[in-house]
Amino acid sequence: MNAANAATHSWNRRARQRAERLGRAARVLGHQLQGCHVDTGAAVPLLQAILEPGDRVCLEGNNQKQADFLAQSLAQVDAQRVHDLHMVQSVLALPEHLDLFENGIARRLDFSFSGPQGARLAKLVAAGGIEIGAIHTYLELFARYFVDLTPKVALVAAHAADAAGNLYTGPNTEDTPAIVEATAFSGGIVIAQVNERVPVGSTLPRIDIPADWVDFVIQAPRPNLIEPLFTRDPAQISEIQVLMAMMAIKGIYAEYGVQRLNHGIGFDTAAIELLLPTYGESLGLKGKICRHWALNPHPALIPAIEAGWVESIHSFGSELGMEDYIRARSDVFFTGADGSLRSNRAFCQAAGHYACDLFIGSTLQIDLQGNSSTATLGRITGFGGAPNMGADARGRRHASPAWLKAGRQARAGLAGAAGTPRGQKLVVQMVETFREHMQPAFVDRLDAWTLQEQAGMALPPIMIYGEDMTHILTEEGIANLLMCRSDDEREQAIRGVAGYTAVGLGRDARMVENLRDRGVIRRPADLGIDVRDATRNLLAARSMRDLVRASQGLYSPPKRFRNW
Amino acid sequence: MNAANAATHSWNRRARQRAERLGRAARVLGHQLQGCHVDTGAAVPLLQAILEPGDRVCLEGNNQKQADFLAQSLAQVDAQRVHDLHMVQSVLALPEHLDLFENGIARRLDFSFSGPQGARLAKLVAAGGIEIGAIHTYLELFARYFVDLTPKVALVAAHAADAAGNLYTGPNTEDTPAIVEATAFSGGIVIAQVNERVPVGSTLPRIDIPADWVDFVIQAPRPNLIEPLFTRDPAQISEIQVLMAMMAIKGIYAEYGVQRLNHGIGFDTAAIELLLPTYGESLGLKGKICRHWALNPHPALIPAIEAGWVESIHSFGSELGMEDYIRARSDVFFTGADGSLRSNRAFCQAAGHYACDLFIGSTLQIDLQGNSSTATLGRITGFGGAPNMGADARGRRHASPAWLKAGRQARAGLAGAAGTPRGQKLVVQMVETFREHMQPAFVDRLDAWTLQEQAGMALPPIMIYGEDMTHILTEEGIANLLMCRSDDEREQAIRGVAGYTAVGLGRDARMVENLRDRGVIRRPADLGIDVRDATRNLLAARSMRDLVRASQGLYSPPKRFRNW
């Protein structure tokens, strides 16, 4: 049987197809192809020569860096020749990413985050113009690149290439190594757009991707787009956020002795970063908390770094304007021989999952079970890295005081499998009880349930499950879900910090006071925090200008953040 | 304050120390250093010049590939000059790895797996000759390389280097990219031993690690050690194992429609692999199960591959003797332009965690809560990848039929956070009720608890927690723990497949029959399996010779496995 089968079965289809595609490209491009370098004007013909209907394609869309020129070029191919593509990319950020579907070039999508395109994506799905495979957390999508979502063609972005085709990504390495490895070692084809091509004979500042993993390099007519997603102007931090940050530092970070952590994006976490060298210092916490970070180079962390709080930061991607500061603080950041950041989303997500004791982020809705989601009606956005970092890492086996204490609290008094001693990841959601337009952050039912029906998803798009969430922090206080021993207690603990929302008003006052007596709920007063101390004066920097000053002039904010 | 601090604080210590170390090496080596290439005889002086007391060092010890020459050289350095090293390496396999501690060169150890050295390691720990930080699962240790266990010096192994210092790892890339990236981009120093140095002008078959991530290359006097850990001779598979494999295929793989999976090492899983093209075929399961694998190139999988069952395999490392077969089956394996395997433990572990629906492995002990461990008295071994792949991936958000069905079974009838719909990873432990020397696989108390006391660990060394285990498979049947609704039910489900062990004999017969009626426990008969059909004739290969034949002569087993 085997012999017969082997006789009829071809085992080098991938290699043959690859050779055919490369042959077509060589024929079509002619003198527009020199070595691996393709003339800028030949991008569309190259894609038409390489791609076949139904191909699985990874168009590099990162949280920051975008292969925008290749995206625009792909949107221009002849849909008669190239169609039904299956796009597998972490972030859907550009209009062109969706044009592909409207133009009939692509049909199916597997992704992690759609950000600004969330509303348009939802409309396209509703209109049947796009078929969504699944929404992943980043590391989960990268993992599938090596199992059942391996790209046939990868379209990536780098800063520069040399004559041989070695790539220099600069600070924004991000997803590129994971994408290229999965594609190049499975008989796929890798096409890179670059901002610069260094002349023959001269070398790159460093090599991030070896030339023999890359098939074609195209110099883009303009530098690839990069978004400064993680920059927050301290001027916009409210005193409520200062109060919440004080509670986070004293009630959670100090309480558990959190040394290794990740912060989600936002003003809430920026406030924490800006309070470390002031409020944190006054509590004598320097060296006791927040020493190691899995974090992009947040400008708001500059004062804490300058004050010597931070020993190491590994980053998913970089942040515009932080280049010189990172270069001058190479003891803290992961940098290459060229002095610029080496980011790597795959490794940083692994670090966030397995090497951090705490993840703290924000959400739009939390229900009575503690399930939280940023998914709202009419938008399909995805959650990026939150599910990976906001999940208990059940495979973790190394201990730390923070992790052990959380585990003890979760298991105290339990028997059987649930009572077996084990540590637990601290997963905190930090929200004001009402968000903009007086939308309550606490709801009886997540919009995710309606979204599931609308989009026909197998499960509701929940960002972080109540089972994994350990603390909810609002301006009213901290609810420690680890210490709740029943669904009722959990519900009342949540209502007990939900303020004047309908959920909060629905609390059982006696039960809530009882939970407070047990320390399950803690108000600012219970933490010895005087609400009157929560002023903006506590912020180590109160403006972008302060951040620049704190950086010794090394941080250079993007124009839009300069108000002087 | 910040300015003052910055004035007193140096921000380029790492770069300065690196320059000092490189300068020392240049002075000591003189003409024995040409470019990045160091004479073989200068290995010990190089290490003495580079290393400083207390350094954190990653000595590449993989599951297969060993940087054995560098290990031997490190064991020879002068302990007066180089001492108190903190070793951070995934596998402790060589005597030299422990000599370092006995010779006073190293003091602290963070690792994942010690295999054959487990007993000696336990003695050293008991004698206070070694300080264990923690025992990790692989991906967890790699994650800490980027957070709080970043190596200052990495000693790695590659197959070949070119004049510039680019490295070719060949099929056993394994941990090397993760180790080198963490070290090279944190101001550390990377030293590689290679089997071959290609002459100036000629190029490597492919580049796995770029030259500018590598500081020194030394040609080893002999090729680096590689262990064929995943080879199992089909001749040694028993009919009990055939029966258990039939139950796995029909009662679990077919039941859930498992398409993406990982197999632990052993004869139990080898039996499953060898039954796919025979028993699996007879059940019409081809194309319905086992299409995508996160797996080393197991020779036992050859008949299934030849029969067209397998679409893709991504590997942690390679397996000796499989080189030509992999090259000729490049549609299935991840291979480079040179045709040889590109393995990558970090990505394959991510694949096992996030992109697989099932992990099946074996253990030495299972308790009444379903906690399992291979840790036994007098040995400290660690668990390698099992905790990562044998844990529910709580960050996973993409759905598959297998994952959804497991999740439904686990949550049926539950309310609150625990009742929120969610998928679950299938985690199966496959054990005979008695292992060699009539040791029962089921125990009231794991040895792990005694080990914890003996070694003063924060938690007992449990490999897979009962909370994460979904099925136990023995010759007596399958216990589906997902469907148990109380600690009592779980205990009886476990006793109900524990055969004639004391744990099995302690069962409550009525409760067990009730669980069987509910399908929580399923016997071979319940699965429509006639025990008399479980013969070795069902194995697609019954000897190493059969495997070679099935491979069209492409598989060439290591000598020790050749009995013809």
Side-chain angles (χ1 to χ4, degrees), chain B residues 476-487:
Chain B
E476 197 182 7
I478 298 171
N480 180 343
L481 304 182
L482 291 166
M483 295 166 72
C484 296
R485 282 293 164 272
S486 68
D487 291 337

Side-chain angles (χ1 to χ4, degrees), chain A residues 19-29 48-52:
Chain A
E20 288 164 6
R21 292 167 188 251
L22 294 176
R24 285 202 303 263
R27 282 194 300 280
V28 169
L29 296 176
Q48 291 187 159
I50 292 295
L51 289 164
E52 296 178 5

Side-chain angles (χ1 to χ4, degrees), chain B residues 81 95 199 209 226 258 262 303 328 347 357 467 482 533 541 544:
Chain B
R81 294 167 59 175
I209 305 288
I226 297 186
V258 175
N262 166 267
F347 280 127
D357 292 323
E467 281 183 323
L482 291 166
D533 297 339
M544 293 302 286

Side-chain angles (χ1 to χ4, degrees), chain A residues 14 140 330 394 398 468, chain B residues 14 140 330 394 398 422:
Chain A
R14 285 196 322 208
E140 174 187 15
S330 60
R394 311 280 290 236
H398 77 280
D468 290 312
Chain B
R14 283 198 321 209
E140 174 187 15
S330 60
R394 310 279 289 232
H398 77 280
R422 186 173 189 171

Side-chain angles (χ1 to χ4, degrees), chain A residues 227-243:
Chain A
E227 269 298 304
L229 282 179
F230 295 85
T231 301
R232 294 292 181 276
D233 184 345
Q236 294 183 44
I237 293 174
S238 71
E239 300 201 322
I240 293 268
Q241 286 165 328
V242 171
L243 172 65

Side-chain angles (χ1 to χ4, degrees), chain A residues 134-453:
Chain A
I135 308 177
H136 311 72
T137 190
Y138 294 127
L139 190 56
E140 174 187 15
L141 182 63
F142 301 155
R144 293 190 72 189
Y145 286 168
F146 294 91
V147 179
D148 61 338
L149 289 183
T150 307
K152 174 62 68 179
V153 176
L155 309 176
V156 302
H159 179 72
D162 62 16
N166 292 296
L167 301 182
Y168 172 55
T169 59
N172 286 88
T173 310
E174 298 193 67
D175 300 9
T176 313
I179 297 169
V180 172
E181 175 152 356
T183 309
F185 291 100
S186 60
I189 290 172
V190 175
I191 303 174
Q193 77 170 67
V194 297
N195 303 337
E196 295 171 21
R197 178 177 166 177
V198 301
V200 179
S202 58
T203 60
L204 295 166
R206 76 174 186 238
I207 292 176
D208 289 288
I209 305 288
D212 66 353
W213 302 11
V214 179
D215 297 294
F216 299 101
V217 174
I218 305 182
Q219 185 164 359
R222 75 203 75 77
N224 61 264
L225 193 75
I226 297 186
E227 269 298 304
L229 282 179
F230 295 85
T231 301
R232 294 292 181 276
D233 184 345
Q236 294 183 44
I237 293 174
S238 71
E239 300 201 322
I240 293 268
Q241 286 165 328
V242 171
L243 172 65
M244 290 166 63
M246 292 168 76
M247 286 193 269
I249 290 170
K250 193 170 186 185
I252 299 176
Y253 290 18
E255 183 77 14
Y256 291 88
V258 175
Q259 307 249 5
R260 305 171 302 168
L261 69 164
N262 167 267
H263 273 187
I265 312 180
F267 288 102
D268 296 327
T269 45
I272 298 174
E273 292 156 18
L274 290 167
L275 251 55
L276 291 176
T278 56
Y279 181 64
E281 193 88 27
S282 71
L283 296 176
L285 295 174
K286 183 171 165 181
K288 301 203 178 85
I289 63 170
C290 302
R291 293 165 54 204
H292 301 282
W293 299 73
L295 194 77
N296 278 13
H298 288 192
L301 201 56
I302 290 171
I305 294 170
E306 293 301 305
W309 277 65
V310 178
E311 287 175 37
S312 73
I313 300 173
H314 188 261
S315 303
F316 312 93
S318 191
E319 186 68 0
L320 276 179
M322 289 288 282
E323 297 78 6
D324 295 346
Y325 182 74
I326 291 166
R327 188 181 302 275
R329 297 294 180 263
S330 60
D331 282 357
V332 171
F333 295 93
F334 279 72
T335 57
D338 63 316
S340 73
L341 187 74
R342 164 81 176 193
S343 59
N344 186 318
R345 180 157 289 107
F347 280 128
C348 200
Q349 285 291 336
H353 184 72
Y354 270 132
C356 287
D357 292 323
L358 174 139
F359 166 77
I360 186 166
S362 294
T363 185
L364 295 180
Q365 296 185 326
I366 300 175
D367 69 15
L368 298 173
Q369 289 74 46
N371 298 311
S372 65
S373 185
T374 53
T376 50
L377 298 184
R379 309 185 80 249
I380 299 179
T381 56
F383 309 122
N388 173 65
M389 291 186 287
D392 186 30
R394 311 280 290 236
R396 174 175 166 176
R397 292 294 181 271
H398 77 280
S400 70
W403 182 78
L404 288 170
K405 179 172 183 172
R408 280 193 304 271
Q409 289 184 335
R411 288 152 197 285
L414 298 182
T420 303
R422 185 172 191 171
Q424 186 161 337
K425 172 89 154 289
L426 292 164
V427 177
V428 184
Q429 288 288 27
M430 187 174 184
V431 294
E432 292 182 48
T433 53
F434 287 95
R435 48 180 222 266
E436 50 185 4
H437 315 309
M438 288 304 282
Q439 289 292 311
F442 294 87
V443 297
D444 288 299
R445 185 173 187 274
L446 298 175
D447 287 354
W449 293 94
T450 312
L451 263 169
Q452 177 190 8
E453 296 152 18

